[in-house]
Amino acid sequence: MNPATRFGPVAEREFVSAADHAKPELTAWLEKLPGLSDDEFTAEAASAIHGSALVQRFKGNWEADHCKASAAFNEASRRHLAAGHTEDCTGDTLYSMAFLRTWRSQGHSPDAYPPRPCDCGAKA
């Protein structure tokens, strides 16, 4: 069974395409993702975003890294909805906060991505 199926079709496709030697570690990572606290999740998502961005410049099969970032995006969206936000809410999610953490860690200005308040009326 593909453990990425619960994280959407992109993560599912990336898992299938990942190198066989990377799948056991990737499977363990995917299985722990939903049970992480929001702080733990944000740290894991930031690491996944950074990893996926880094490997873009190298040849080879890096689908496991991309799968982590895709799964983190999907899990953040699931948590956003579970917190009472609507599907079309454009407020920050845990993924966007993890992206900003990664962005800043690479020396970029946070002003490029200002906070996006909830626009659907959900309580924060």
Side-chain angles (χ1 to χ4, degrees), residues 37-107:
S37 70
D38 285 351
D39 288 340
E40 293 168 329
F41 173 80
T42 302
E44 287 291 327
S47 178
I49 292 165
H50 188 242
S52 180
L54 284 177
V55 299
Q56 297 247 4
R57 62 180 77 161
F58 302 114
K59 290 183 179 183
N61 183 342
W62 300 103
E63 292 301 299
D65 295 274
H66 300 315
C67 181
K68 286 181 179 182
S70 296
F73 178 84
N74 189 279
E75 175 64 13
S77 297
R78 185 195 67 76
R79 290 177 186 219
H80 198 65
L81 290 172
H85 296 275
T86 61
E87 285 193 32
D88 61 343
C89 178
T90 60
D92 280 317
T93 66
L94 294 176
Y95 187 89
S96 63
M97 290 186 272
F99 174 84
L100 185 57
R101 178 188 290 188
T102 302
W103 179 260
R104 279 187 246 155
S105 77
Q106 299 305 300

Side-chain angles (χ1 to χ4, degrees), residues 9-48:
V10 174
E12 183 177 5
R13 184 185 73 244
E14 290 164 340
F15 183 89
V16 168
S17 299
D20 288 339
H21 68 83
K23 287 181 179 177
E25 184 271 330
L26 177 56
T27 297
W29 191 89
L30 292 169
E31 288 176 352
K32 77 175 183 177
L33 200 61
L36 297 175
S37 70
D38 285 351
D39 288 340
E40 293 168 329
F41 173 80
T42 302
E44 287 291 327
S47 178

